[in-house]
């Protein structure tokens, strides 16, 4: 099984514009992962919010991890 941490370090904290762009690129790939930026979260702590439900399969989750990895590498936030 793969985890995001086994695939690389995700470093987007503190960058609202990259967090927003990350969310947009994921959406283009078919994933709805909204971003949260101030005033909804503390200044310098932007977040992506992904929701996993019991209806998601292992294949769904692996596809999501592949999408996160691809976008993260494209934006230079995953090493």
């Amino acid at each position: 099984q793969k985890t995001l941490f086994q695939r690389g370090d995700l470093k987007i904290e503190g960058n609202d514009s990259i967090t927003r762009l990350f969310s947009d690129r994921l959406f283009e790939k078919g994933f709805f992962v909204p971003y949260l930026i101030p005033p909804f979260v503390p200044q310098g702590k932007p977040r992506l919010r992904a929701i996993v439900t019991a209806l998601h399969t292992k294949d769904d989750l692996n596809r999501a991890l592949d999408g996160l990895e691809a976008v993260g590498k494209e934006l230079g936030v995953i090493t």
Side-chain angles (χ1 to χ4, degrees), residues 2 5 18 33-35 39 51 53 59-60 69-70 74:
K2 307 172 198 172
F5 298 110
I18 288 183
V33 183
Y35 62 89
I51 297 172
T53 73
D59 287 340
D60 292 333
E69 181 179 43
E74 175 186 328

Side-chain angles (χ1 to χ4, degrees), residues 68-79:
L68 284 164
E69 181 179 43
V71 172
K73 286 183 175 179
E74 175 186 328
L75 297 178
V77 297
I78 292 181
T79 56

Side-chain angles (χ1 to χ4, degrees), residues 47-60:
R47 297 181 184 145
L48 294 172
R49 175 162 292 167
I51 297 172
V52 178
T53 73
L55 296 177
H56 288 105
T57 66
K58 285 184 181 182
D59 287 340
D60 292 333

Side-chain angles (χ1 to χ4, degrees), residues 4-79:
L4 189 57
F5 298 110
Q6 290 171 330
R7 296 170 146 214
D9 294 324
L10 182 61
K11 302 172 187 170
I12 59 172
E13 186 171 301
N15 193 322
D16 295 352
S17 61
I18 288 183
T19 303
R20 186 177 307 132
L21 184 58
F22 203 118
S23 176
D24 291 345
R25 295 280 169 79
L26 287 171
F27 189 77
E28 291 169 4
K29 292 183 176 296
F31 302 103
F32 181 64
V33 183
Y35 62 89
L36 298 171
I37 58 174
F40 305 104
V41 294
Q43 191 70 31
K45 301 278 186 184
R47 297 181 184 145
L48 294 172
R49 175 162 292 167
I51 297 172
V52 178
T53 73
L55 296 177
H56 288 105
T57 66
K58 285 184 181 182
D59 287 340
D60 292 333
L61 298 177
N62 280 326
R63 200 169 64 80
L65 285 173
D66 290 341
L68 284 164
E69 181 179 43
V71 172
K73 286 183 175 179
E74 175 186 328
L75 297 178
V77 297
I78 292 181
T79 56

